[in-house]
Amino acid sequence: MRAERIALMPHWPARMGEDMAALYLGVSMTKFRERVGSKVYPQPVKEGGRLLWAKRQLDLYVDA
């Protein structure tokens, strides 16, 4: 998802794919994948074929 489109959103969604989750945390996709892979960042839940991160999970990580 493009950053310009995200900036127009009034609120972040409760669950997001990795592109939006990386943008939410302010890191590149490469860094996000690296930190998820090394279990530094919260792990996703799988729904069908999609990996999703809960905004609450990401907020708890940032607050810690």
Side-chain angles (χ1 to χ4, degrees), residues 16-40:
M16 49 191 101
E18 72 175 353
D19 58 340
M20 192 177 290
L23 195 60
Y24 184 70
L25 292 177
V27 298
S28 68
M29 287 285 293
T30 303
K31 186 58 72 176
F32 183 78
R33 286 177 180 150
E34 176 184 302
R35 291 179 178 168
V36 168
S38 62
K39 301 194 191 268
V40 171

Side-chain angles (χ1 to χ4, degrees), residues 25 35 40-42 55-64:
L25 292 177
R35 291 179 178 168
V40 171
Y41 282 167
K55 180 181 176 293
R56 185 179 308 164
Q57 279 180 294
L58 300 175
D59 288 340
L60 288 172
Y61 169 79
V62 169
D63 290 344

